[in-house]
Amino acid sequence: MKFKDYSIFYKQLTGRIRESGAACFLLRTSGKAATGIMYAAYPALLIKLAAGGESRKLFISVIIPAAGFVLLTAVRAGINRPRPYETWKIEPLIHKDTRGCSMPSRHVFSSAVIAMSWMQVSLPAGLFFLAVSAAAALIRVLGGVHYPSDVIAGYLAGIAAGIPLLLLH
């Protein structure tokens, strides 16, 4: 998605949220909650697999997401895309000081690959976590810390990285 003036798009996208202190608070709180859910979900999965004696699933649930994370980090560093608040005159709703490395979103990638890791154990849990990941992606765009294409790329990369988990389980 290419924008002639992203600042206009962003102001239109977030106008109603900006008008309400409660909506801004809800956006920030939801972002933190989604992150917390996903980062609690991963160790919970690893503990569940270890306690169940599922060493093969445990191994691939560590190796595949880790390898994907390292690869995505390298790609992201190579692209080094500036974040929306660096390029455009916008005031993000989520404060972040990070410079560059916006594409693809590593935050959304991690969330999506964790969801895919859960899919090998529980389809309903995996689908729930994919929904949380999608919500987190939307929050990152509304928050002004990523472009839509950043989070879409991160989400799809997380799903793609997680497909081998389903094939190897």
Side-chain angles (χ1 to χ4, degrees):
M1 193 180 287
K2 188 81 170 166
F3 295 95
K4 190 170 192 167
D5 189 341
Y6 188 81
S7 61
I8 293 170
F9 168 77
Y10 185 70
K11 285 176 186 170
Q12 290 173 342
L13 183 68
T14 61
R16 291 252 199 246
I17 297 169
R18 286 179 184 284
E19 293 171 4
S20 166
C24 288
F25 174 79
L26 181 61
L27 177 79
R28 292 179 189 113
T29 303
S30 298
K32 289 177 183 174
T35 299
I37 288 168
M38 294 312 299
Y39 292 125
Y42 190 54
L45 171 67
L46 300 180
I47 291 166
K48 177 179 176 50
L49 293 173
E54 302 209 44
S55 58
R56 185 171 191 271
K57 283 185 182 180
L58 177 61
F59 178 75
I60 65 172
S61 294
V62 170
I63 295 300
I64 291 175
F69 186 85
V70 169
L71 179 61
L72 185 100
T73 299
V75 167
R76 171 178 141 122
I79 296 170
N80 198 25
R81 180 183 197 179
R83 292 176 181 269
Y85 56 81
E86 291 179 85
T87 305
W88 303 95
K89 291 182 181 185
I90 66 167
E91 184 181 332
L93 294 173
I94 296 174
H95 177 73
K96 194 162 178 71
D97 292 327
T98 306
R99 299 282 179 220
C101 293
S102 184
M103 165 64 107
S105 169
R106 193 167 55 188
H107 193 108
V108 173
F109 167 84
S110 297
S111 188
V113 79
I114 290 167
M116 294 298 288
S117 297
W118 265 98
M119 286 249 197
Q120 67 179 322
V121 175
S122 168
L123 180 61
L127 292 174
F128 169 75
F129 291 132
L130 277 176
V132 171
S133 300
L138 177 61
I139 290 166
R140 309 282 300 163
V141 172
L142 291 172
V145 298
H146 281 291
Y147 292 103
S149 56
D150 298 342
V151 298
I152 291 168
Y155 192 78
L156 293 176
I159 291 172
I163 289 173
L165 290 161
L166 303 179
L167 300 175
L168 297 172
H169 85 281

